[in-house]
Amino acid sequence: MKLTLDNDAITDDFFSDTRLIGIVAPIKNYQFCWQLNNLLGFNFRLDTEIDKQLRKKNRQYFFSVYQHEENNFLKYYLFHNHCDGEYLLPEFKHLDFLLLMKGDYVDDSGCSHIITTIKSIATVQMVAELTNEKIKNKEHLVF
């Protein structure tokens, strides 16, 4: 008997309680985290245990992930979308960062507040919520 993982089911389950925001901000990830921490009262920290690794063209690419835990249920993950010319989500090459809110439900007003606050950062050029249907490579964000 051969067992196979149902990646679609795993991905659907992972994204069942998430919201994802795409951000264009051509600055260093640690500078962006510092600004988010100051403006939103977050405590983003680099989490090397959940760094995303992709193997393309016989090479490993590492995408840093920062994590902030709001409470026991709600966690925020900030992904850097590019590494040496490769992209974590290639369908969104123009995005520099992906902010994933996972766990506890974030209502529309909470999400809107976060988007508005991020837009107030001088180096931010664009912020938009991404719907699950538009994300082709969701499995790249699953951990």
Side-chain angles (χ1 to χ4, degrees), residues 8-32:
D8 289 339
I10 292 169
T11 302
D12 289 345
D13 182 55
F14 180 86
F15 278 93
S16 67
D17 58 353
T18 63
R19 292 192 87 158
L20 185 64
I21 296 172
I23 303 157
V24 176
I27 61 173
K28 300 281 185 199
N29 34 3
Y30 63 87
Q31 292 172 320
F32 187 61

CSV table of all heavy atoms in Angstrom, one decimal, residues 8-32:
chain,number,residue,atom,x,y,z
A,8,ASP,N,-3.1,19.5,-2.0
A,8,ASP,CA,-4.2,20.5,-2.1
A,8,ASP,C,-4.9,20.6,-0.8
A,8,ASP,O,-5.3,21.7,-0.3
A,8,ASP,CB,-5.1,20.1,-3.2
A,8,ASP,CG,-4.4,20.3,-4.6
A,8,ASP,OD1,-3.5,21.1,-4.7
A,8,ASP,OD2,-4.9,19.7,-5.6
A,9,ALA,N,-5.2,19.4,-0.2
A,9,ALA,CA,-5.9,19.4,1.1
A,9,ALA,C,-5.1,20.1,2.2
A,9,ALA,O,-5.7,20.8,3.0
A,9,ALA,CB,-6.3,18.0,1.5
A,10,ILE,N,-3.8,19.8,2.2
A,10,ILE,CA,-3.0,20.4,3.2
A,10,ILE,C,-2.9,21.9,3.1
A,10,ILE,O,-3.1,22.7,4.0
A,10,ILE,CB,-1.5,19.8,3.1
A,10,ILE,CG1,-1.5,18.4,3.6
A,10,ILE,CG2,-0.6,20.6,4.0
A,10,ILE,CD1,-0.2,17.6,3.3
A,11,THR,N,-2.8,22.4,1.8
A,11,THR,CA,-2.8,23.8,1.5
A,11,THR,C,-4.1,24.5,1.9
A,11,THR,O,-4.1,25.5,2.5
A,11,THR,CB,-2.4,24.0,0.0
A,11,THR,OG1,-1.1,23.4,-0.2
A,11,THR,CG2,-2.3,25.5,-0.3
A,12,ASP,N,-5.2,23.8,1.5
A,12,ASP,CA,-6.5,24.4,1.8
A,12,ASP,C,-6.7,24.5,3.3
A,12,ASP,O,-7.3,25.5,3.8
A,12,ASP,CB,-7.6,23.5,1.2
A,12,ASP,CG,-7.7,23.7,-0.4
A,12,ASP,OD1,-7.1,24.6,-0.9
A,12,ASP,OD2,-8.3,22.8,-1.0
A,13,ASP,N,-6.3,23.5,4.0
A,13,ASP,CA,-6.4,23.5,5.5
A,13,ASP,C,-5.6,24.7,6.1
A,13,ASP,O,-6.1,25.4,6.9
A,13,ASP,CB,-6.0,22.2,6.1
A,13,ASP,CG,-6.2,22.1,7.6
A,13,ASP,OD1,-7.4,22.4,8.0
A,13,ASP,OD2,-5.3,21.8,8.3
A,14,PHE,N,-4.4,24.8,5.6
A,14,PHE,CA,-3.5,25.8,6.1
A,14,PHE,C,-4.1,27.2,5.9
A,14,PHE,O,-4.0,28.1,6.7
A,14,PHE,CB,-2.1,25.7,5.4
A,14,PHE,CG,-1.1,26.8,5.9
A,14,PHE,CD1,-0.3,26.5,7.0
A,14,PHE,CD2,-0.9,27.9,5.2
A,14,PHE,CE1,0.6,27.5,7.4
A,14,PHE,CE2,0.0,28.9,5.6
A,14,PHE,CZ,0.7,28.7,6.7
A,15,PHE,N,-4.7,27.5,4.7
A,15,PHE,CA,-5.2,28.8,4.3
A,15,PHE,C,-6.6,29.0,4.8
A,15,PHE,O,-7.2,30.1,4.6
A,15,PHE,CB,-5.1,29.0,2.8
A,15,PHE,CG,-3.7,29.4,2.4
A,15,PHE,CD1,-2.8,28.5,2.0
A,15,PHE,CD2,-3.3,30.8,2.5
A,15,PHE,CE1,-1.5,28.9,1.7
A,15,PHE,CE2,-2.1,31.2,2.1
A,15,PHE,CZ,-1.1,30.3,1.7
A,16,SER,N,-7.2,28.1,5.5
A,16,SER,CA,-8.6,28.2,5.9
A,16,SER,C,-8.8,29.4,6.9
A,16,SER,O,-9.9,29.9,7.0
A,16,SER,CB,-9.2,26.9,6.5
A,16,SER,OG,-8.5,26.6,7.7
A,17,ASP,N,-7.8,29.7,7.7
A,17,ASP,CA,-7.9,30.8,8.7
A,17,ASP,C,-6.8,31.8,8.5
A,17,ASP,O,-6.1,32.2,9.5
A,17,ASP,CB,-7.8,30.1,10.1
A,17,ASP,CG,-6.5,29.4,10.3
A,17,ASP,OD1,-5.8,29.2,9.4
A,17,ASP,OD2,-6.3,28.9,11.5
A,18,THR,N,-6.6,32.3,7.3
A,18,THR,CA,-5.6,33.2,7.0
A,18,THR,C,-6.1,34.5,6.3
A,18,THR,O,-7.1,34.4,5.6
A,18,THR,CB,-4.4,32.6,6.2
A,18,THR,OG1,-4.9,32.3,4.9
A,18,THR,CG2,-3.8,31.4,6.9
A,19,ARG,N,-5.3,35.5,6.3
A,19,ARG,CA,-5.4,36.7,5.4
A,19,ARG,C,-4.0,37.0,5.0
A,19,ARG,O,-3.1,36.9,5.7
A,19,ARG,CB,-6.1,37.9,6.1
A,19,ARG,CG,-7.5,37.5,6.5
A,19,ARG,CD,-8.3,38.7,6.9
A,19,ARG,NE,-8.8,39.5,5.8
A,19,ARG,CZ,-9.9,40.3,5.9
A,19,ARG,NH1,-10.5,40.4,7.1
A,19,ARG,NH2,-10.3,40.9,4.9
A,20,LEU,N,-3.9,37.4,3.7
A,20,LEU,CA,-2.6,37.7,3.1
A,20,LEU,C,-2.5,39.0,2.5
A,20,LEU,O,-3.4,39.4,1.7
A,20,LEU,CB,-2.2,36.6,2.1
A,20,LEU,CG,-0.8,36.6,1.5
A,20,LEU,CD1,0.3,36.4,2.5
A,20,LEU,CD2,-0.7,35.6,0.4
A,21,ILE,N,-1.5,39.8,2.9
A,21,ILE,CA,-1.3,41.2,2.3
A,21,ILE,C,0.0,41.2,1.5
A,21,ILE,O,1.0,40.7,2.0
A,21,ILE,CB,-1.3,42.2,3.5
A,21,ILE,CG1,-2.6,42.2,4.2
A,21,ILE,CG2,-0.9,43.6,2.9
A,21,ILE,CD1,-2.7,43.1,5.4
A,22,GLY,N,-0.1,41.7,0.3
A,22,GLY,CA,1.1,41.9,-0.5
A,22,GLY,C,1.6,43.4,-0.4
A,22,GLY,O,0.8,44.3,-0.3
A,23,ILE,N,2.9,43.5,-0.3
A,23,ILE,CA,3.5,44.9,0.0
A,23,ILE,C,4.7,45.1,-1.0
A,23,ILE,O,5.6,44.3,-1.2
A,23,ILE,CB,4.0,45.0,1.4
A,23,ILE,CG1,2.9,44.7,2.4
A,23,ILE,CG2,4.7,46.3,1.7
A,23,ILE,CD1,3.4,44.2,3.7
A,24,VAL,N,4.7,46.3,-1.6
A,24,VAL,CA,5.8,46.7,-2.4
A,24,VAL,C,6.5,47.8,-1.6
A,24,VAL,O,6.0,48.9,-1.3
A,24,VAL,CB,5.3,47.3,-3.8
A,24,VAL,CG1,6.5,47.9,-4.6
A,24,VAL,CG2,4.6,46.3,-4.6
A,25,ALA,N,7.7,47.4,-1.2
A,25,ALA,CA,8.5,48.4,-0.4
A,25,ALA,C,10.0,48.0,-0.6
A,25,ALA,O,10.5,47.0,0.0
A,25,ALA,CB,8.2,48.2,1.1
A,26,PRO,N,10.7,48.7,-1.5
A,26,PRO,CA,12.1,48.3,-1.8
A,26,PRO,C,13.1,48.8,-0.7
A,26,PRO,O,13.9,49.6,-0.9
A,26,PRO,CB,12.3,49.1,-3.1
A,26,PRO,CG,11.4,50.3,-3.1
A,26,PRO,CD,10.2,49.8,-2.3
A,27,ILE,N,13.0,48.1,0.4
A,27,ILE,CA,13.9,48.4,1.5
A,27,ILE,C,14.3,47.0,2.1
A,27,ILE,O,13.7,46.0,1.8
A,27,ILE,CB,13.3,49.3,2.7
A,27,ILE,CG1,12.1,48.6,3.3
A,27,ILE,CG2,13.0,50.6,2.1
A,27,ILE,CD1,11.5,49.3,4.5
A,28,LYS,N,15.3,47.0,3.0
A,28,LYS,CA,15.8,45.8,3.6
A,28,LYS,C,14.7,45.2,4.5
A,28,LYS,O,14.0,46.0,5.2
A,28,LYS,CB,17.1,46.0,4.4
A,28,LYS,CG,18.2,46.6,3.6
A,28,LYS,CD,18.9,45.4,2.8
A,28,LYS,CE,20.1,45.9,2.1
A,28,LYS,NZ,20.5,45.0,1.0
A,29,ASN,N,14.6,43.9,4.6
A,29,ASN,CA,13.6,43.3,5.4
A,29,ASN,C,13.7,43.7,6.9
A,29,ASN,O,12.7,43.9,7.6
A,29,ASN,CB,13.5,41.8,5.3
A,29,ASN,CG,14.8,41.1,5.0
A,29,ASN,OD1,15.8,41.7,5.0
A,29,ASN,ND2,14.8,39.8,4.8
A,30,TYR,N,14.9,43.8,7.5
A,30,TYR,CA,15.0,44.2,8.9
A,30,TYR,C,14.6,45.6,9.1
A,30,TYR,O,14.0,45.9,10.2
A,30,TYR,CB,16.4,43.9,9.4
A,30,TYR,CG,17.5,44.8,8.7
A,30,TYR,CD1,17.8,46.0,9.2
A,30,TYR,CD2,18.2,44.3,7.6
A,30,TYR,CE1,18.8,46.8,8.6
A,30,TYR,CE2,19.2,45.1,7.0
A,30,TYR,CZ,19.5,46.3,7.5
A,30,TYR,OH,20.4,47.1,6.9
A,31,GLN,N,14.8,46.5,8.1
A,31,GLN,CA,14.3,47.9,8.3
A,31,GLN,C,12.8,47.9,8.2
A,31,GLN,O,12.1,48.6,9.0
A,31,GLN,CB,14.9,48.7,7.1
A,31,GLN,CG,16.3,49.0,7.2
A,31,GLN,CD,16.9,49.7,6.0
A,31,GLN,OE1,16.5,49.4,4.9
A,31,GLN,NE2,17.8,50.6,6.2
A,32,PHE,N,12.2,47.1,7.3
A,32,PHE,CA,10.7,47.1,7.2
A,32,PHE,C,10.1,46.5,8.5
A,32,PHE,O,9.1,47.0,9.0
A,32,PHE,CB,10.3,46.2,6.0
A,32,PHE,CG,8.9,46.3,5.7
A,32,PHE,CD1,8.2,47.5,5.4
A,32,PHE,CD2,8.1,45.1,5.8
A,32,PHE,CE1,6.9,47.5,5.2
A,32,PHE,CE2,6.7,45.2,5.5
A,32,PHE,CZ,6.1,46.4,5.2
